């Protein structure tokens, strides 16, 4: 489970975030390319854009659920 106290600083403000356990596997960037990008120097992903619609919300949720090290977290409930 992602730790809110260990969020990487590059995350934009909002419900979804990546913590410092990210292993740079690319899964989130492939699953939700509008919302996750890679920080090359740090070799990890972060949230660059919070979901703006149902499609992006579903993609972020899928990335979080499929993350092999559970480095993606979500604070709060899903937006309807």
């Amino acid at each position: 489970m992602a730790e809110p106290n260990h969020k990487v600083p590059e995350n934009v403000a909002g419900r979804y975030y990546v913590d410092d356990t990210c292993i740079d596997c690319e899964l989130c960037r492939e699953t939700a390319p509008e919302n996750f990008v890679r920080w090359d120097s740090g070799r990890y992903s972060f949230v660059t854009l919070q979901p703006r619609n149902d499609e992006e919300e579903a993609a972020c949720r899928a990335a979080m659920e499929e993350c092999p090290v559970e480095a993606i977290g979500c604070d709060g409930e899903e937006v309807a």
Side-chain angles (χ1 to χ4, degrees), residues 20-74:
D20 60 10
T21 62
C22 177
I23 60 171
D24 195 27
C25 73
E26 297 185 38
L27 185 138
C28 63
R29 299 189 306 266
E30 293 173 355
T31 305
E34 298 293 321
N35 308 96
F36 293 88
V37 297
R38 181 178 196 252
W39 189 56
D40 293 329
S41 297
R43 295 185 176 165
Y44 55 78
S45 296
F46 64 93
V47 177
T48 188
L49 179 68
Q50 295 292 329
R52 301 167 292 178
N53 54 47
D54 291 342
E55 182 179 322
E56 289 180 7
E57 178 70 33
C60 287
R61 178 74 49 185
M64 182 177 71
E65 291 171 356
E66 296 169 15
C67 179
V69 294
E70 299 182 344
I72 301 170
C74 181

Side-chain angles (χ1 to χ4, degrees), residues 8-17 35 46-50:
V8 297
E10 293 78 18
N11 289 305
V12 296
R15 295 179 320 118
Y16 285 95
Y17 62 90
N35 308 96
F46 64 93
V47 177
T48 188
L49 179 68
Q50 295 292 329

